[in-house]
Amino acid sequence: QILLVGQFRDSTLVNDDIAPAVNNVNLHGFYSSFSSQDGALNWWKAIESLHGKEGVYLTKSFPSKDQIILIGSFADSIVIENDTIVSREKSKDAIIINSGSSGSVNWVNFISGTLDDEAHSLLIDENDHIFVSGHYASPFLKTDYDTPDSLFTASNKGGTDLFMSRYSTDGQLNWLQTTGGRGDERISESELFGEQIIVSGYYSDSLVWGDNTVTTKGAADKDLFMGYMDSEGAYTYIKTLTGTGNSHEE
């Protein structure tokens, strides 16, 4: 099957049928499946945003055996299969959704704090480990709304920092790593190479990666990085691509 995820306002046209939204102001999310043989629609699911113009933003999807994993972010409150979910402090929370091959949701997990936290990168390895990465502005992160021991002290080093995490197929968090520097950091993409996870993006001013710290030529510069980790979340090494100063590489 071919998966398609995205956003819509007001209503959307699905195979000549109008799929209306709850309101025409907020940004709603959808995920859908099409036949790889003839492009016919198999099913279409909406995630409704109840409040907030930023609403739902789905960034990646990945089919794995009889499961589909989706990641993204949402603000304020959303409805997934008649369940209402409210973000912390009405800010953006990162969201991970596991659905069956028919689109029915199996579980939903979050990475959240008091400010904006977003998931941007998704990987699934041959052992069905789910790797989710993104950035956060919150002074700490929580990975489950209801479990007291899911609070992770993740002191923000300045601006937005990075998080990398691994889940099992039942939604259990295996590990969570956070890092950053004095400026803003973003993860754009990630990839698996054997037992190594490579995350790429940009940083400003400085970035701590395990025992290594890299810096830009100027505090306001932005440089590219590729950070390497093993599948257990241990930092290995980092490579950077820098400019000549007063430059932005993203």
Side-chain angles (χ1 to χ4, degrees), residues 10 17 57 60 81 90 95-96 109 114 150 154 158 165 168 175 193 210 221:
D10 190 12
D17 291 328
Y57 190 78
K60 293 288 176 63
E81 293 192 342
K90 303 298 181 69
I95 188 169
I96 306 105
N109 271 338
T114 55
S150 70
S165 61
S168 56
W175 51 259
F193 286 95
D221 291 358

Side-chain angles (χ1 to χ4, degrees), residues 90-103:
K90 303 298 181 69
S91 58
K92 287 183 183 179
D93 287 354
I95 188 169
I96 306 105
I97 302 171
N98 177 299
S99 83
S101 57
S102 63

